Amino acid sequence: MKTRIQAAISPENLARLQAMAARPSLSESKVVDMALAAFFAGDTDDQRDAAIARRLDRMTRQFGRLERNDLILTETLSTFVRYFLTVTPPVPVNQLDAARAKGDLRFDLFVRQVAEALQSGDRILHNAIEDFTAACGDFASDPKPGRQDAQRDSDA
């Protein structure tokens, strides 16, 4: 059995209540009852806040990966430029045209290789970093050699 109450609400909320109750299968009582249930439950706010927090955490991790990748890219480029400028000898004047033509061919090949890598999803730098990280992890897995052997012997 439902209890009848009389409550005073603002004219703005009354207009919104009447508009909502005009929908099929809704009444003013049902809309007020659902609103009170949601208000007292408080779960909707907590659920929404939790969803926002999860999304922010995911975005923070993504931003961290982007920042790491940007740092790797910057260091890679600067190392290459330093190496290139250090070891590249000056080209004699009579060979400049041939050097430029060879440079154009190499650059075209470079652009094609980058395009192929982007289309295939096979990232050379990413794979190299993953390989390096895995190799470093192999060395750091057991900081004290022989410790597991002693543990295994004592368990037996």
Side-chain angles (χ1 to χ4, degrees), residues 74-88:
T74 304
E75 281 302 311
T76 302
L77 180 62
S78 61
T79 302
F80 174 76
V81 168
R82 177 191 282 169
Y83 174 79
F84 178 80
L85 294 175
T86 303
V87 301
T88 303

Side-chain angles (χ1 to χ4, degrees), residues 15-80:
R16 293 173 70 187
L17 173 63
Q18 290 171 338
M20 180 70 78
R23 295 180 180 175
S25 75
L26 286 180
S27 65
E28 289 180 359
S29 294
K30 191 170 186 178
V31 171
V32 170
D33 192 45
M34 290 181 344
L36 286 172
F39 176 78
F40 290 129
D43 291 341
T44 56
D45 288 341
D46 292 341
Q47 289 172 351
R48 186 179 61 231
D49 290 347
I52 291 170
R54 283 191 306 273
R55 176 78 173 147
L56 286 173
D57 287 343
R58 187 169 50 247
M59 290 173 69
T60 300
R61 287 190 303 274
Q62 289 171 340
F63 181 74
R65 284 191 299 271
L66 286 171
E67 189 175 34
R68 185 197 82 174
N69 292 346
D70 184 52
L71 178 65
I72 291 168
L73 181 61
T74 304
E75 281 302 311
T76 302
L77 180 62
S78 61
T79 302
F80 174 76

